[in-house]
Amino acid sequence: CACRRELLEELSHTADIAVPELIPDWLKTEHHASEFDLLRGQVMSGRTLSARRLRSVSALTLCLCLSILLTLGFLHRSKAYSEHHAAAADATDQARSLVLPPAGPNAQPASIRLAALLRSTDSMQGSTRSSDFLPASESLAQLLSLWPEGVRLQRLSLGKRDIRIDLTMPLGLDPSLLIERLESMQGWKLSAPVIRRSSSSTSVSLSLQRAEEANR
């Protein structure tokens, strides 16, 4: 069943399979000659080569599409994370601007000034543990929980026995809402507030005393 390579290469352009007419006896095989395809291995038919190339191109195209989809998904997640991070940073800056008084151009960053304020309240807490007064940090937490949106702090003085607050708010906000909230602060008594209105805003000065001191 031997066949010259040149003949097989000519057949590969027009035929899909090539089988020998007979199988020599010395091969000692029970298979029929039609089961032997000579257009396999080093010499293959043109259609077989085209089919293999098509499968390879299809596999590469599928891998490329999957890579593009994964890249787009990663970029979408990265963009969403950046937007969420920026929104959280803006909310943090707004909260700091409400709590901290205005600072000059050479002032330290807001995060450092807030940390210093919290450290000062912690030191006050340690110095008053032996008394019946609420820790200053708890008073500050109460004050922040009652703080309405849109009110800007101008000055905050937090002492052992009194709290003094100067603030401004837009004309559309009613200062009575904040005054009612401050009257409900645990352990504190609100003195008569001072309210001043201008053409663009309302200024309010507030003073709170420890309930124990106010009742003496």
Side-chain angles (χ1 to χ4, degrees):
C1 66
C3 183
R4 296 192 307 274
R5 182 183 180 90
E6 294 81 2
L7 180 58
L8 288 177
E9 290 178 349
E10 292 180 2
L11 290 174
S12 66
H13 297 296
T14 58
D16 293 334
I17 61 174
V19 296
E21 183 177 0
L22 296 172
I23 298 178
D25 295 335
W26 53 267
L27 286 179
K28 296 180 181 180
T29 178
E30 297 180 355
H31 296 283
H32 193 267
S34 60
E35 300 180 34
F36 289 87
D37 185 5
L38 302 181
L39 294 180
R40 291 290 184 270
Q42 296 182 354
V43 180
M44 291 184 292
S45 67
R47 293 184 181 180
T48 302
L49 289 174
S50 299
R52 289 193 174 184
R53 293 192 189 100
L54 180 60
R55 286 195 295 269
S56 299
V57 171
S58 299
L60 290 175
T61 303
L62 179 60
C63 292
L64 179 61
C65 292
L66 290 176
S67 299
I68 292 175
L69 290 176
L70 290 174
T71 302
L72 292 176
F74 175 76
L75 293 176
H76 179 71
R77 287 179 175 270
S78 299
K79 181 180 179 181
Y81 173 78
S82 299
E83 292 177 350
H84 179 73
H85 185 270
D90 291 340
T92 302
D93 292 339
Q94 291 178 4
R96 287 172 179 168
S97 65
L98 292 175
V99 174
L100 295 174
N106 297 324
Q108 292 181 325
S111 58
I112 297 178
R113 291 187 286 123
L114 180 60
L117 178 61
L118 293 176
R119 283 196 301 269
S120 65
T121 57
D122 289 339
S123 63
M124 292 179 185
Q125 177 181 356
S127 63
T128 58
R129 284 180 180 174
S130 59
S131 67
D132 296 331
F133 292 153
L134 289 173
S137 58
E138 293 186 14
S139 302
L140 179 59
Q142 287 188 65
L143 183 61
L144 295 179
S145 66
L146 300 173
W147 203 263
E149 184 177 357
V151 176
R152 184 173 183 83
L153 180 67
Q154 299 295 329
R155 183 174 69 92
L156 172 63
S157 174
L158 184 62
K160 296 180 181 179
R161 293 177 172 80
D162 62 353
I163 298 177
R164 298 183 183 278
I165 307 170
D166 291 333
L167 55 91
T168 58
M169 61 178 61
L171 291 175
L173 288 181
D174 187 0
S176 61
L177 175 62
L178 177 60
I179 293 173
E180 291 177 359
R181 292 182 179 181
L182 294 178
E183 288 177 343
S184 65
M185 282 187 62
Q186 180 184 0
W188 294 93
K189 185 174 181 180
L190 178 65
S191 302
V194 178
I195 301 175
R196 295 178 297 274
R197 298 184 185 274
S198 65
S199 59
S200 59
S201 62
T202 301
S203 300
V204 183
S205 297
L206 300 166
S207 176
L208 295 97
Q209 285 187 318
R210 294 282 184 179
E212 297 87 343
E213 295 291 326
N215 294 331
R216 289 181 180 178

